[in-house]
């Protein structure tokens, strides 16, 4: 939200402050920009508005998917795992019960912003892809994309630094000391 407000300011539209909140001032600035840009005036920074705002050289909203692909995959993997857990815990159907904000807005239960509908497509994904992957995770049919730490985990296991268990659990100081000691020994041995 802050970057949207900064971009609106840079283009001469006053969002009434840069506070990271989509309040009445930000909505009015978006509507003014939409009117001037010949876009549908709805006050929502959806895909068309965001894309138009991102065209300015140096735009605060410019996005390069290749630069953040690892980050995207890490977020995707964690979100799939979290949604699968929540669906299991609460007896939800991922195909019908998972909605993004924009979908929720269209059925009258969420705020009016496009959230992942402008992010997922830049990485070749959609909400339908997300729901399907959550469903498959719940059914044990597929693993999501390798976690962001997979290469480091494999290396640590191969080098005998860590056993690879509990990769996302907090590490105790005792475990940390042990891993550091093992790493030190490897360095000292020239491995």
């Amino acid at each position: 939200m802050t970057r949207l407000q900064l971009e609106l300011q840079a283009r001469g539209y006053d969002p009434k402050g840069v506070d990271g909140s989509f309040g009445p001032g930000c909505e009015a600035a978006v509507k003014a920009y939409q009117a001037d840009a010949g876009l549908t005036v709805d006050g929502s920074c959806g895909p068309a508005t965001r894309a138009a705002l991102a065209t300015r050289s140096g735009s605060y909203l410019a996005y390069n998917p290749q630069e953040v692909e690892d980050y995207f995959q890490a977020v995707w993997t964690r979100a799939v795992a979290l949604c699968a857990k929540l669906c299991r815990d609460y007896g939800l159907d991922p195909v019908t019960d998972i909605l993004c904000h924009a979908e929720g807005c269209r059925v009258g239960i969420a705020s009016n912003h496009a959230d992942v509908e402008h992010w997922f497509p830049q990485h070749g994904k959609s909400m339908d892809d997300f729901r399907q992957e959550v469903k498959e995770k719940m059914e044990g049919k597929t693993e999501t994309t390798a976690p962001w730490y997979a290469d480091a985990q494999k290396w640590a296991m191969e080098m005998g630094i860590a056993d690879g268990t509990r990769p996302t659990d907090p590490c105790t100081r005792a475990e940390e000391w042990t891993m550091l000691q093992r790493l030190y020994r490897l360095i000292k041995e020239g491995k």
Side-chain angles (χ1 to χ4, degrees):
M1 206 48 54
T2 300
R3 292 188 318 157
L4 170 61
Q5 291 169 327
L6 290 168
E7 184 59 28
L8 289 166
Q9 276 187 339
R11 290 172 171 269
Y13 299 91
D14 183 9
K16 304 296 183 216
V18 177
D19 61 2
S21 173
F22 193 86
C26 192
E27 182 177 5
V30 169
K31 284 180 177 179
Y33 171 76
Q34 288 171 327
D36 291 348
L39 300 167
T40 300
V41 179
D42 61 4
S44 171
C45 189
T49 300
R50 187 184 181 291
L53 283 166
T55 60
R56 181 182 66 83
S57 178
S59 171
Y60 290 100
L61 298 177
Y63 184 76
N64 182 339
Q66 292 76 32
E67 289 178 4
V68 294
E69 186 61 28
D70 288 344
Y71 172 75
F72 175 82
Q73 290 301 329
V75 171
W76 177 272
T77 300
R78 289 178 179 178
V80 166
L82 174 61
C83 285
K85 178 185 180 351
L86 292 173
C87 285
R88 275 192 302 272
D89 289 354
Y90 294 101
L92 302 173
D93 178 350
V95 175
T96 59
D97 294 327
I98 295 176
L99 303 174
C100 70
H101 275 91
E103 292 169 328
C105 181
R106 290 192 285 271
V107 296
I109 61 170
S111 60
N112 186 19
H113 65 278
D115 58 27
V116 299
E117 286 188 340
H118 62 76
W119 192 36
F120 283 6
Q122 295 188 58
H123 294 272
K125 302 280 189 178
S126 69
M127 276 303 298
D128 288 335
D129 295 329
F130 182 77
R131 286 185 276 264
Q132 184 61 36
E133 195 160 329
V134 170
K135 181 179 183 234
E136 290 172 4
K137 175 102 175 146
M138 290 174 66
E139 295 170 348
K141 289 184 178 178
T142 183
E143 276 300 310
T144 56
T145 307
W148 59 270
Y149 55 81
D151 289 341
Q153 180 184 24
K154 181 181 175 190
W155 174 83
M157 290 168 55
E158 288 172 355
M159 298 302 290
I161 295 168
D163 64 11
T165 61
R166 304 177 8 257
T168 59
D169 287 355
C171 181
T172 66
R173 287 189 175 125
E175 291 169 323
E176 197 173 293
W177 297 330
T178 302
M179 288 186 289
L180 286 171
Q181 183 184 45
R182 290 175 182 166
L183 178 61
Y184 174 76
R185 285 181 184 153
L186 288 171
I187 292 170
K188 199 172 176 184
E189 293 169 9
K191 293 185 180 180

